[in-house]
Amino acid sequence: MHPMLNIAIQAIRRAGNFVVKQYELFDKNSVQSNHINNLISKINKESYYIITAIIRKFYPLHTVINTWNVRDINDVNCKESVLWIIGAIDNDVNFIKQFPFFALSISVFIKGHIEIGVIYDPIHNELFSACRGKGAHLNGYRIRVGTAKNLHRAIIAISCSYEQQHMTINLLSKFSNKCAYFRYTGSTILDLAYVAVGRVDGCVSIFFKKINYTNKLASGFLIIRESGGLIIDFTGTDNYLLSGNIIAGNVKIIRTILSIIQII
């Protein structure tokens, strides 16, 4: 195992244990609505501190990025560094409502290229990981994308960021007569992981083009590629970080989804 992947797994599991304890203690009926965001922010910050402390213990000279000190990974200075990008809880609304689908993530960039990606679902104790060129794994076992060739019995995950949720109806209307099964977990990072392991056959997502959000999804992109899947945008190119939309899955499913989305 790559030594940095080992540290990433150790760190995210430790933070996940903390998040689960907060989830179990969380009483959504007793917390005032105007205090919920502050509470989630505190939980995110504490999980960040837990992860950062472990990273800095082994790699004190590496740069650590999170929601509060976000930097663009395409920045010239970033390309000369080893960057650890820590994602906040995705989806925090699921956490608040105690809908058990959310995850933490860590990505490691070396000289501008993602080398390691980790996604941890602490509720179900599922850890998805990938190291560039070494394949993708779930709890240590190798995973591959599904083999569906068409949408007849395929499951497609639809996800949109909060700011783009109105687009969900448009997406569903395009697929209504082509695909029988849809899933909306509310967590894009988990949707990407589920594509990688073959639980869903494709993922269609529209996300808000904020640096911290695209950074957070990087681990999912790597895990899908290392599981044999592909990611493109709605124009069929790999400019999904710029366009703010993605299609993920195996080659045949992606082609089918793209042909439907591009129908005017």
Side-chain angles (χ1 to χ4, degrees), residues 24-192:
E24 292 172 346
L25 294 172
F26 188 79
D27 184 353
K28 59 181 180 292
N29 296 318
S30 65
V31 180
Q32 295 181 7
S33 59
N34 59 332
H35 293 158
I36 286 178
N37 288 338
N38 289 336
L39 178 60
I40 292 298
S41 180
K42 288 180 180 179
I43 294 171
N44 274 324
K45 286 182 178 180
E46 183 61 31
S47 65
Y48 160 68
Y49 292 141
I50 292 170
I51 292 171
T52 301
I54 294 175
I55 293 171
R56 296 204 184 284
K57 178 180 177 181
F58 294 93
Y59 300 105
L61 300 181
H62 290 184
T63 302
V64 181
I65 294 176
N66 58 75
T67 304
W68 301 276
N69 70 340
V70 65
R71 292 168 60 190
D72 190 344
I73 58 175
N74 294 312
D75 182 80
V76 175
N77 293 329
C78 288
K79 289 184 178 181
E80 299 174 355
S81 309
V82 177
L83 304 181
W84 295 69
I85 300 175
I86 303 172
I89 295 172
D90 183 54
N91 177 295
D92 56 359
V93 175
N94 287 357
F95 181 95
I96 293 167
K97 291 291 186 179
Q98 294 183 310
F99 183 68
F101 291 93
F102 55 86
L104 305 174
S105 62
I106 299 176
S107 305
V108 182
F109 283 77
I110 300 176
K111 295 183 178 180
H113 299 283
I114 184 168
E115 296 289 336
I116 291 167
V118 177
I119 298 170
Y120 185 43
D121 173 357
I123 294 296
H124 302 100
N125 191 29
E126 292 190 329
L127 192 140
F128 302 84
S129 63
C131 189
R132 189 159 70 100
K134 301 294 179 62
H137 298 80
L138 167 56
N139 290 344
Y141 292 92
R142 187 70 180 266
I143 57 175
R144 299 288 294 178
V145 293
T147 59
K149 298 179 180 179
N150 55 61
L151 297 180
H152 177 58
R153 296 189 62 82
I155 297 178
I156 303 299
I158 304 289
S159 68
C160 296
S161 62
Y162 177 78
E163 297 88 347
Q164 304 285 0
Q165 286 194 51
H166 63 283
M167 296 296 293
T168 304
I169 297 175
N170 294 335
L171 288 174
L172 289 174
S173 65
K174 286 179 178 288
F175 285 94
S176 59
N177 296 322
K178 305 292 192 306
C179 180
Y181 306 104
F182 297 97
R183 298 293 182 269
Y184 188 96
T185 66
S187 173
T188 304
I189 199 74
L190 271 184
D191 288 343
L192 294 174

